[in-house]
């Protein structure tokens, strides 16, 4: 019997994502100055106000206000009528040093002895239903709000758009868990005064969806069928008005969009947020490693769908458990437990091993704070940071290393594929 499954995404202008981006921009600038810094940075933003709090151990000065204002401006909050604007908002900083009790479990005599920064369980997931091994519902939801933001920033079409928006995609799957059709798309976008819901919906159909359809042939066919399906539903700004938005409409907090950040409700989530945390925090680094493992397993042909769980005790380097679930889709003659044992032999899941393999001491995190941490394209880019005197400097960094399929051949060999 067919069933429906739904995932959502939010734009970079969503208040929670504004907070995530500020936290990760601060983290990046600190790591650009001191790759061994320990950072746990939390941000709250509301009408005309930003509060940055948390724990930082770093030998260098970082201008929190300048970084925060730059981040807000790049998102697009640059007009006073938004009631939250980069140059005029108040910024309160409440950062202090990391707890010595936590630090003694993380910092050790040698790098290899580095313990996990906290206890907890982290999950990684991959499926072969898309080219980037992500759930189709979430991938399409991300693409909708990402494309809408590109249209807004280009300033040529839909010029009434404001930074805050959300999307939601409901897909119909058959009994073999294959996507059949798009059942519902919900899109809510902040807009200027005086724009009618009818105009926005018409522009979504004539401008946004055609651009999304060019992403790949599967999107093109699905969206073509969706628009021609009398039973499908396209809900655009269903409340009828969305002028008040962003941090003025809803207070934003770091770490409140963890399902958007990961797999859109597929697989599982351990509960720990990512943004604002340096890689000694396994909430972040081990979640990236679990995704890396799951993606390479699926790409190697071990299974059509894989969930990886890894868990830690604070101050202990080796994980306390490693679990693999293939949902009955394994393509090798092994149990899930046997697959997990093989994974444990192939991948070093100590904090130091993960950080080294994925190059996580680089300042690479602000980009993860918008449109998902998973399913992205690995690339080398040049980024600009501020030195202790507020002067800009640039560095080349490698983004989204956990999305690389660099262990596929090794996995194939190990599993006899």
């Amino acid at each position: 019997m067919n069933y429906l499954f739904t995932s959502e995404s939010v734009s970079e202008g969503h208040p929670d994502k504004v907070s995530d981006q500020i936290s990760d921009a601060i983290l990046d600038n600190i790591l650009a100055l001191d790759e061994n810094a320990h950072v746990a940075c939390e941000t709250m933003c509301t009408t005309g106000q930003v509060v940055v709090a948390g724990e930082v151990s770093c030998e260098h000065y970082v201008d929190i206000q300048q970084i925060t204002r730059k981040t807000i401006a790049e998102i697009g909050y640059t007009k006073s009528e938004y009631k939250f604007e980069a140059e005029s908002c108040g910024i309160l900083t409440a950062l202090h040093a990391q707890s010595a009790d936590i630090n003694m479990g993380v910092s050790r005599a040698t790098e290899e002895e580095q313990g996990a920064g906290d206890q907890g369980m982290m999950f990684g997931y991959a499926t072969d239903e898309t080219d980037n091994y992500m759930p189709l519902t979430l991938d399409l939801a991300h693409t909708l709000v990402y494309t809408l933001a590109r249209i807004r920033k280009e300033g040529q079409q839909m010029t009434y758009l404001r930074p805050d928006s959300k999307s939601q995609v409901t897909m119909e799957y058959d009994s073999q868990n294959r996507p059949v059709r798009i059942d519902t798309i919900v899109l809510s976008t902040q807009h200027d005064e005086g724009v009618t819901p009818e105009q926005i919906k018409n522009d979504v159909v004539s401008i946004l969806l055609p651009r999304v359809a060019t992403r790949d042939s599967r999107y093109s066919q699905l969206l073509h069928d969706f628009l021609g399906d009398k039973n499908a539903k396209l809900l655009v700004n269903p409340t009828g008005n969305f002028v008040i938005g962003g941090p003025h409409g809803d207070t934003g907090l770091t770490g409140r969009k963890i399902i958007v950040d990961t797999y859109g409700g597929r697989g599982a989530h351990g509960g720990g947020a990512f943004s604002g945390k340096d890689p000694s925090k396994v909430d972040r680094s081990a979640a990236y490693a679990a995704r890396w493992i799951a993606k390479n397993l699926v790409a190697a042909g071990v299974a059509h769908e894989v969930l990886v769980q890894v868990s830690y005790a604070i101050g202990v380097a080796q994980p306390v458990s490693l679990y693999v679930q293939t949902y009955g889709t394994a393509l090798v003659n092994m149990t899930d437990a046997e697959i997990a044992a093989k994974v444990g032999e192939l991948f070093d899941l100590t904090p130091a091993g993960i950080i080294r393999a994925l190059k996580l001491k680089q300042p690479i995190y602000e980009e993860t704070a918008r449109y998902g941490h998973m399913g992205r394209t690995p690339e080398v880019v040049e980024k600009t940071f501020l030195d202790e005197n507020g002067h800009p400097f640039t560095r080349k960094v490698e983004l989204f290393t956990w999305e690389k399929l660099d262990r596929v051949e090794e996995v194939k060999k190990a599993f006899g594929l």
Side-chain angles (χ1 to χ4, degrees):
M1 181 175 177
N2 289 10
Y3 65 93
L4 301 177
F5 185 82
T6 301
S7 296
E8 71 159 349
S9 183
V10 298
S11 74
E12 63 205 71
H14 186 281
D16 293 331
K17 282 285 128 195
V18 173
S19 295
D20 284 344
Q21 288 166 91
I22 292 170
S23 292
D24 273 337
I26 292 169
L27 168 64
D28 276 356
N29 212 109
I30 292 173
L31 291 177
L33 295 171
D34 179 5
E35 67 174 17
N36 295 311
H38 290 162
V39 181
C41 180
E42 314 285 347
T43 302
M44 181 194 79
C45 56
T46 186
T47 305
Q49 183 70 49
V50 176
V51 179
V52 179
E55 303 81 47
V56 174
S57 294
C58 177
E59 299 299 321
H60 300 271
Y61 170 77
V62 175
D63 191 331
I64 303 297
Q65 290 226 2
Q66 191 173 351
I67 295 166
T68 300
R69 295 191 193 282
K70 178 176 180 286
T71 304
I72 295 169
E74 288 173 348
I75 293 168
Y77 287 106
T78 56
K79 298 179 181 180
S80 59
E81 57 261 40
Y82 297 163
K83 309 297 184 185
F84 181 81
E85 187 267 328
E87 292 304 315
S88 63
C89 67
I91 300 173
L92 173 64
T93 303
L95 294 168
H96 59 83
Q98 183 186 44
S99 161
D101 291 347
I102 294 175
N103 185 65
M104 67 186 294
V106 176
S107 299
R108 298 292 175 84
T110 68
E111 185 180 84
E112 297 305 319
E113 295 176 292
Q114 175 182 331
D118 202 352
Q119 70 176 44
M121 63 281 191
M122 298 83 210
F123 289 91
Y125 175 82
T127 172
D128 62 7
E129 71 180 36
T130 58
D131 291 342
N132 61 1
Y133 301 92
M134 291 291 287
L136 182 57
T137 49
L138 181 63
D139 195 53
L140 181 52
H142 281 325
T143 304
L144 285 165
V145 285
Y146 171 78
T147 306
L148 195 68
R150 295 309 309 158
I151 292 170
R152 170 175 61 86
K153 291 184 175 183
E154 289 165 5
Q156 302 300 311
Q157 297 173 299
M158 302 178 76
T159 54
Y160 50 80
L161 292 173
R162 293 184 175 185
D164 193 359
S165 65
K166 301 178 75 171
S167 65
Q168 186 172 282
V169 174
T170 300
M171 192 78 63
E172 181 181 336
Y173 287 80
D174 65 18
S175 58
Q176 302 301 310
N177 298 316
R178 293 172 299 201
V180 175
R181 57 182 283 274
I182 302 170
D183 182 82
T184 305
I185 292 177
V186 182
L187 187 74
S188 297
T189 181
Q190 188 186 14
H191 57 85
D192 290 342
E193 292 272 13
V195 184
T196 65
E198 292 76 21
Q199 180 183 347
I200 299 174
K201 185 170 184 176
N202 288 338
D203 287 346
V204 166
V205 172
S206 64
I207 298 171
L208 175 63
L209 295 186
R211 283 188 59 165
V212 171
T214 63
R215 179 177 170 94
D216 63 40
S217 58
R218 187 187 324 227
Y219 281 174
S220 178
Q221 189 60 53
L222 282 169
L223 289 170
H224 176 271
D225 294 346
F226 170 74
L227 291 173
D229 185 348
K230 61 181 175 52
N231 295 316
K233 298 175 284 293
L234 175 60
L235 306 175
V236 178
N237 282 18
T239 66
N241 204 45
F242 189 4
V243 173
I244 300 171
H248 177 51
D250 186 14
T251 296
L253 292 171
T254 298
R256 281 207 305 200
K257 285 292 176 283
I258 59 176
I259 300 303
V260 171
D261 285 343
T262 52
Y263 309 104
R266 294 281 283 274
H269 198 295
F274 303 152
S275 288
K277 297 177 181 178
D278 75 82
S280 72
K281 281 73 173 174
V282 285
D283 273 344
R284 182 168 220 160
S285 54
Y288 292 164
R291 162 63 179 175
W292 178 48
I293 293 168
K295 184 175 180 179
N296 276 269
L297 288 176
V298 173
V302 174
H304 291 296
E305 185 180 14
V306 170
L307 178 73
V308 175
Q309 184 206 58
V310 60
S311 64
Y312 294 86
I314 187 170
V316 179
Q318 291 290 341
V320 299
S321 71
L322 174 63
Y323 167 83
V324 172
Q325 166 70 270
T326 64
Y327 305 94
T329 70
L331 300 170
V332 293
N333 188 26
M334 300 174 70
T335 67
D336 287 351
E338 290 170 333
I339 293 172
K342 186 73 70 176
V343 167
E345 297 170 1
L346 289 171
F347 293 88
D348 181 354
L349 288 172
T350 63
I354 293 170
I355 290 169
R356 181 172 55 250
L358 300 181
K359 305 175 186 176
L360 296 182
K361 288 188 177 182
Q362 299 178 95
I364 56 175
Y365 298 105
E366 186 180 358
E367 288 79 4
T368 68
R370 47 188 180 265
Y371 312 115
H373 295 240
M374 317 302 178
R376 307 291 292 277
T377 302
E379 59 179 331
V380 176
V381 301
E382 191 170 85
K383 296 179 63 173
T384 301
F385 306 99
L386 301 175
D387 66 18
E388 292 183 278
N389 298 311
H391 300 138
F393 68 96
T394 60
R395 272 191 59 182
K396 283 187 176 180
V397 299
E398 187 175 0
L399 303 178
F400 303 107
T401 54
W402 49 94
E403 292 296 322
K404 294 171 72 173
L405 295 174
D406 54 353
R407 299 292 295 274
V408 168
E409 294 307 315
E410 188 176 345
V411 170
K412 284 182 176 180
K413 183 178 179 180
F415 283 90
L417 297 169

